Amino acid sequence: MSKIQDVIIIGTGPAGLTAALYTARADLAPIVFEGHEPGGQLTLTTDVENFPGFPQGVQGPDLINNMREQAKRFGADFRQLTATEVDLSKSPFTIKLSNEESIQARTIIISTGASAKFLGLDKEKELTGKGVSTCATCDGFFYRDKIVHVVGGGDTAMEDSTFISKFAKKVYVIHRRDSLRASKPMIDRAMKNEKIEFLWETQVTKLNDNEQGLESIVVKNLKTGEETTRETDGLFYAIGHTPNTAFLNNQIDVDDHGFIQTQGKYPDTNVPGVFACGDVQDSYFRQAITAAGSGCQAAIRAERYLEEVGKN
Ligand code: NDP
């Protein structure tokens, strides 16, 4: 096995990239595993208007790319591999990689983010890419002059429906309650959009398909119980995310929703030397800026931990 690394960072959203920048500048030569979706959720979004320092807004992929280049400039070593398993039972920790190799490290920073949730309906996974999507930014373009339904009542649902309306003829937002949890500016923007209509207290119960893919959906009015079939070209899920922690195999404490538990104001996990930052440990704020901030905290804690325990 190769030499023991000081810092391994798993995941490259704003949290992992900020941790990479800080640990690289602290001369810790971090190795960063990029995972299945390098850049994370920001690479699937367009305008980011709330990241400080960009008065005109910035494109999500550009922001990520800049963060990556900045960390690289100070020596962060990016590898296009996924961590498949970890052994945290003793230090140095062992991380198994998607190329079957293993690497050892004194500290690990987990920044693997969270993945889109599905409704759990029959055929939804096989229809993904054939009418069903979890990424409006990736797939909205394909729905020019089409009819689209978006499920969810949060900021993602508002942002997605607004984005898709640039292409689609009509967008219906299907929400299970009679009020939205999205922020006011996002709601106002969607409500003002003439192409967007809301189906309140409604749930999708079935997907109907043909050889081309999704053909229609069955929706149930939760108040009346009435079920209706609605023709649609696309169905976008915007119902939240699940933290990516499977590879940890229950070695790290998580909360009731599966998000990694950190210690009070610190990014430390229950295993000394293992830190968590970004959406994998944050079910509340979930912003690029808070993820970046927590990545900075994880890097500083890793640096101080290494000083405390000594490197050898
Ligand atoms: P949220 O968890 O905020 O919202 C998920 C929505 O999906 C809720 O309305 C929820 O309904 C609904 N939902 C969940 N499960 C189901 C289900 N099984 N069936 C039907 N509906 C379901 O997730 P978001 O992805 O919208 O947002 C996550 C975070 O990211 C938030 O903090 C948000 O502010 C932020 N964000 C910010 C953006 C920006 O600033 N540009 C853009 C996008 C997201 P219910 O309300 O009934 O629970």
Side-chain angles (χ1 to χ4, degrees):
M1 203 172 294
S2 53
K3 80 173 219 224
I4 299 166
Q5 303 298 322
D6 280 330
V7 182
I8 293 291
I9 298 171
I10 307 175
T12 48
L17 293 174
T18 306
L21 170 65
Y22 272 74
T23 49
R25 289 192 78 248
D27 256 349
L28 294 172
I31 294 182
V32 191
F33 295 114
E34 304 211 48
H36 296 296
E37 288 174 17
Q41 293 177 60
L42 271 188
T43 57
L44 308 178
T45 195
T46 48
D47 291 328
V48 179
E49 293 175 337
N50 52 10
F51 200 92
F54 299 91
Q56 307 305 324
V58 59
Q59 295 289 300
D62 291 344
L63 180 59
I64 284 294
N65 201 36
N66 286 345
M67 288 184 181
R68 194 175 183 280
E69 287 308 309
Q70 197 174 352
K72 257 176 101 172
R73 194 179 128 217
F74 293 101
D77 178 356
F78 287 89
R79 310 242 176 121
Q80 287 177 357
L81 290 168
T82 302
T84 54
E85 236 176 90
V86 287
D87 179 0
L88 307 179
S89 60
K90 58 180 186 309
S91 181
F93 308 117
T94 304
I95 300 118
K96 261 199 189 168
L97 302 166
S98 43
N99 64 357
E100 301 297 325
E101 287 179 11
S102 292
I103 193 161
Q104 288 193 304
R106 293 182 182 89
T107 67
I108 300 179
I109 296 177
I110 302 165
S111 47
T112 42
S115 297
K117 277 188 194 164
F118 283 78
L119 285 173
L121 300 172
D122 278 353
K123 295 190 187 168
E124 64 186 357
K125 291 276 166 74
E126 63 187 85
L127 287 172
T128 301
K130 295 177 185 164
V132 174
S133 173
T134 58
C135 176
T137 320
C138 317
D139 301 329
F141 180 79
F142 301 117
Y143 292 89
R144 196 175 287 283
D145 298 325
K146 307 272 190 197
I147 293 173
V148 169
H149 289 73
V150 175
V151 189
D155 281 337
T156 304
M158 297 308 104
E159 191 174 68
D160 286 2
S161 48
T162 303
F163 178 73
I164 297 165
S165 75
K166 292 180 188 169
F167 311 100
K169 182 161 68 182
K170 189 83 195 173
V171 181
Y172 296 94
V173 178
I174 301 173
H175 183 41
R176 62 184 177 184
R177 293 187 296 124
D178 62 359
S179 64
L180 298 162
R181 73 168 60 231
S183 56
K184 196 173 178 306
M186 295 270 208
I187 296 175
D188 289 348
R189 199 184 304 176
M191 292 269 184
K192 271 192 213 136
N193 189 320
E194 284 178 356
K195 282 190 184 173
I196 300 176
E197 209 173 293
F198 288 81
L199 306 176
W200 302 104
E201 294 174 272
T202 300
Q203 185 76 280
V204 182
T205 54
K206 191 165 179 267
L207 309 181
N208 297 319
D209 61 331
N210 58 24
E211 308 76 58
Q212 271 83 51
L214 182 72
E215 187 179 53
S216 62
I217 55 175
V218 178
V219 299
K220 185 177 182 179
N221 181 313
L222 299 174
K223 237 169 131 183
T224 62
E226 188 192 349
E227 288 203 310
T228 341
T229 299
R230 301 180 64 88
E231 302 294 315
T232 194
D233 298 297
L235 176 67
F236 284 75
Y237 287 169
I239 58 169
H241 293 81
T242 309
N244 297 317
T245 53
F247 73 104
L248 296 170
N249 205 15
N250 302 321
Q251 294 171 85
I252 293 283
D253 288 350
V254 295
D255 67 16
D256 293 346
H257 302 284
F259 290 81
I260 291 179
Q261 251 171 2
T262 49
Q263 316 290 315
K265 67 178 179 182
Y266 294 109
D268 302 45
T269 68
N270 59 305
V271 177
V274 180
F275 306 92
C277 50
D279 285 11
V280 74
Q281 54 84 56
D282 173 19
S283 59
Y284 186 76
F285 296 109
R286 293 179 291 188
Q287 300 298 300
I289 186 66
T290 52
S294 70
C296 161
Q297 291 175 326
I300 291 175
R301 276 296 300 138
E303 188 188 350
R304 298 201 178 145
Y305 171 85
L306 287 167
E307 279 166 12
E308 283 159 22
V309 298
K311 285 195 182 183
N312 298 306

